[in-house]
């Protein structure tokens, strides 16, 4: 080999990530490439030192305990026939939401009928906007009876025009709040059983018991905002969606927050 | 898979990598722990090197998702976390703080892919493993890595010229 080694090949030699015997032979007889390799070695030491300056000490035992607890919780939930590891499969989650939505719409329609006992019940339990309705735990489409109804309840609000504010109180540290951006003008909030909801024009408030909260925010309403424990997690602005909350994951139509401890 | 043995072997380098990548303690711990939860809860099995690649790939994707919004990533990279540890003199403390700031700014000037490749290399991954995580051809890794390292070094204030 007569041509000099390029930087990539020299780097592979430095990092011992090549078995290029030909390159080694060239190196043995080429002072320029040997010098270049020495330069790369010095550069590597400088890079290593710079990266090491960023390092911190970590509480490994606290992390071990948290991971062990979450794995145990996931295993227990799996034994009950539910999948909760990390994130639920999207299809299952949103079929659950769709089923809940159907029930909510049904409940809302029933509540609109004059003389409906549901209307009276809703009025007594949830003051405010009649466009909102709440339902008992939603069923999972096609699931056996044993897997029905995670302990959740929900509220749906029709919002013909903005603004829309969703305000959550009492969300426990470590809980996940999953926000789904949906087309249309209907907002919904699902939270564990025992949670309390109130609504007024353009506003939904929930005092939630510990567990996952799921929110559907309509993209047809502007502006929208989500406030958790007095802190803005999400709001629409002229520039787009601003998300200052503690995001765990984000896709085009879904944002997962985890409440900090 | 033995929980404690795997945790002890994987968590420290994983959280270090995540922290170097994000510059944010909470984000690093979240990503590293979430990746480990998924590993154990999904009963991922395999030889240690393959498990390590799986964990780093999962954590990298979690971080990419989290920082898909560029401004959010920049804000976190600019954070200047406090380093716990033994007390040190004010001069040394200032010096360390400047070193850290310079390194963070240099990392910030890299593309996401360059940053991920560089940090994985300095966690001891082979070029083939890096290719697996970053989704590039294994034969390209040497060239891409050389460029990433050169850019980082230049951003630190070093000369990028080869002898």
């Amino acid at each position: 080999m007569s041509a000099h080694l390029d930087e990539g090949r020299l780097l592979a030699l430095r990092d011992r990530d090549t078995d290029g015997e030909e390159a080694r032979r060239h190196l043995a007889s080429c002072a320029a490439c040997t010098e270049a390799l020495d330069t790369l070695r010095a550069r590597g030491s400088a890079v290593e030192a710079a990266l090491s300056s960023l390092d911190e000490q970590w509480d490994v035992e606290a992390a071990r305990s948290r991971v062990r607890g979450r794995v145990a919780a996931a295993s227990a939930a799996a034994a009950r026939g539910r999948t909760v590891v990390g994130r639920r499969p999207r299809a299952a989650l949103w079929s659950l939401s769709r089923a809940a939505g159907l029930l909510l719409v049904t409940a809302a329609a029933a509540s609109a009928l004059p003389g409906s006992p549901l209307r009276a019940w809703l009025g007594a339990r949830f003051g405010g906007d009649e466009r909102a309705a709440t339902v008992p735990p939603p069923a999972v489409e096609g699931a056996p009876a044993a897997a029905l109804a995670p302990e959740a309840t929900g509220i749906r609000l029709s919002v013909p025009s903005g603004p829309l504010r969703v305000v959550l109180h009492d969300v426990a540290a470590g809980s996940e709040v999953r926000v789904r951006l949906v087309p249309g003008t209907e907002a919904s909030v699902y939270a564990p059983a025992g949670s309390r909801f109130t609504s007024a024009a353009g506003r939904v408030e929930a005092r939630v018991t510990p567990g996952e909260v799921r929110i559907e925010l309509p993209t047809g309403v502007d502006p929208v905002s989500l406030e958790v424990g007095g802190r803005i997690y999400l709001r629409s602005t002229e520039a787009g969606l601003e998300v200052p909350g503690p995001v765990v994951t984000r896709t085009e139509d879904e944002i997962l927050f985890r409440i900090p401890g | 898979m033995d929980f404690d043995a795997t945790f002890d072997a994987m968590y420290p380098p994983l959280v270090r990598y995540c922290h170097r990548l994000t510059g944010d303690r909470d984000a690093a711990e979240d990503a590293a722990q979430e990746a480990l939860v998924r590993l154990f809860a999904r009963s991922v099995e395999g030889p240690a090197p393959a498990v390590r690649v799986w964990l780093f790939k999962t954590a990298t994707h979690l971080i990419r998702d989290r920082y898909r919004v560029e401004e959010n990533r920049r804000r976190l990279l600019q954070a200047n976390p406090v380093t716990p540890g033994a007390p040190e003199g004010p001069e040394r403390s200032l010096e360390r703080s400047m070193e850290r700031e310079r390194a963070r700014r240099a990392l910030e000037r890299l593309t996401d892919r360059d940053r991920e490749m560089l940090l994985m290399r300095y966690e001891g991954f082979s070029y083939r493993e890096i290719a697996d995580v970053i989704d590039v051809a294994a034969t390209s890794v040497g060239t891409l890595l050389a460029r990433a390292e050169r850019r980082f070094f230049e951003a630190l204030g070093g000369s990028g010229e080869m002898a």
Side-chain angles (χ1 to χ4, degrees):
Chain A
M1 179 184 288
S2 56
H4 292 305
L5 301 174
D6 63 28
E7 195 178 8
R9 298 192 75 182
L10 284 168
L11 199 74
L13 281 170
R14 182 198 72 181
D15 293 342
R16 295 182 171 82
D17 209 297
T18 177
D19 54 2
E21 199 50 45
E22 191 180 2
R24 286 183 213 284
R25 277 201 302 273
H26 172 82
L27 198 62
S29 61
C30 177
C33 285
T34 300
E35 192 177 346
L37 183 59
D38 289 341
T39 301
L40 279 181
R41 287 187 175 125
R43 191 171 86 184
S45 298
V47 169
E48 175 74 65
L51 293 178
S52 296
S53 75
L54 296 170
D55 294 342
E56 301 193 7
Q57 293 176 346
W58 302 96
D59 188 343
V60 175
E61 290 314 311
R64 185 198 311 274
S65 176
R66 278 195 292 271
V67 170
R68 196 192 297 279
R70 289 184 59 198
V71 172
S75 300
R80 292 196 303 270
R82 296 168 53 200
T83 303
V84 298
V85 176
R87 287 172 292 178
R88 270 179 227 172
R90 290 171 65 110
L93 175 66
W94 296 113
S95 65
L96 176 68
S97 297
R98 281 197 297 275
L102 285 173
L103 284 173
L104 285 164
V105 169
T106 306
S111 70
L113 296 173
S116 160
L118 182 56
R119 179 184 184 131
W121 181 78
L122 288 173
R125 189 165 178 191
F126 304 98
D129 197 320
E130 278 196 357
R131 291 170 299 172
T134 65
V135 293
V140 180
E141 286 176 331
L148 283 179
E151 298 297 315
T153 186
I155 186 168
R156 174 161 283 204
L157 183 67
S158 176
V159 190
S161 61
L164 167 65
R165 284 183 69 195
V166 177
V167 182
L168 304 182
H169 303 282
D170 305 333
V171 187
S175 298
E176 293 187 341
V177 176
R178 191 181 298 274
V179 177
R180 166 90 159 164
L181 305 175
V182 296
T185 57
E186 287 196 335
S188 57
V189 179
Y190 307 103
S195 300
R196 306 288 296 178
F197 301 90
T198 56
S199 69
R203 183 182 178 96
V204 180
E205 289 201 43
R207 292 193 176 279
V208 303
T209 54
E212 182 183 353
V213 179
R214 301 195 309 276
I215 297 169
E216 290 181 346
L217 283 182
T219 54
V221 179
D222 188 58
V224 296
S225 65
L226 167 64
E227 190 178 319
V228 181
R231 185 179 162 200
I232 293 290
Y233 273 31
L234 172 157
R235 66 182 154 211
S236 60
T237 67
E238 288 184 0
L241 205 57
E242 188 178 308
V243 188
V247 175
V248 178
T249 58
R250 179 173 180 179
T251 64
E252 272 187 11
D253 58 2
E254 185 179 313
I255 304 166
L256 177 64
F257 300 99
R258 184 172 300 129
I259 310 302
Chain B
M1 184 182 298
D2 182 277
F3 179 92
D4 284 320
T6 304
F7 188 91
D8 287 339
M10 301 294 177
Y11 183 72
L14 183 62
V15 74
R16 178 175 59 226
Y17 165 78
C18 292
H19 180 245
R20 288 176 172 182
L21 199 55
T22 63
D24 182 89
R25 277 188 73 91
D26 290 342
E29 288 186 309
D30 278 353
Q33 291 171 23
E34 176 67 24
L36 278 158
V37 168
R38 293 184 184 191
L39 177 83
F40 292 117
R42 295 178 185 179
S43 301
V44 175
E45 297 283 353
V51 168
R52 192 169 71 124
V53 168
W54 189 95
L55 275 172
F56 276 70
K57 189 171 190 173
T58 300
T60 300
H61 287 176
L62 286 168
I63 288 167
R64 283 181 194 164
D65 284 347
R66 180 168 179 157
Y67 301 125
R68 191 160 288 169
V69 179
E70 181 67 9
E71 284 308 308
N72 195 19
R73 186 182 66 76
R74 286 189 178 283
R75 180 176 60 78
L76 287 164
L77 277 170
Q78 286 166 358
N80 190 17
V82 176
T83 303
E88 52 190 12
E91 283 185 11
R92 179 58 189 143
S93 178
L94 178 64
E95 191 182 329
R96 280 175 56 85
S97 176
M98 289 173 66
E99 284 172 7
R100 201 162 51 232
E101 183 62 21
R102 196 168 62 219
R104 192 165 313 292
R105 286 186 187 283
L107 273 179
E108 192 180 345
R109 290 176 65 175
L110 302 183
T111 64
D112 288 348
R113 187 179 69 177
D114 283 358
R115 189 182 308 112
E116 289 163 6
M117 292 180 73
L118 184 70
L119 295 179
M120 288 194 70
R121 177 60 212 151
Y122 281 85
E123 287 297 336
F125 281 88
S126 72
Y127 289 11
R128 185 167 296 282
E129 289 170 332
I130 292 171
D132 186 17
V133 173
I134 309 295
D135 289 329
V136 297
T139 50
S140 306
V141 170
T143 302
L144 294 172
L145 194 54
R147 188 185 62 189
E149 188 181 283
R150 186 174 64 249
R151 286 177 177 168
F152 178 71
F153 185 65
E154 287 170 355
L156 280 175
S159 165
E161 291 189 11
M162 298 282 294

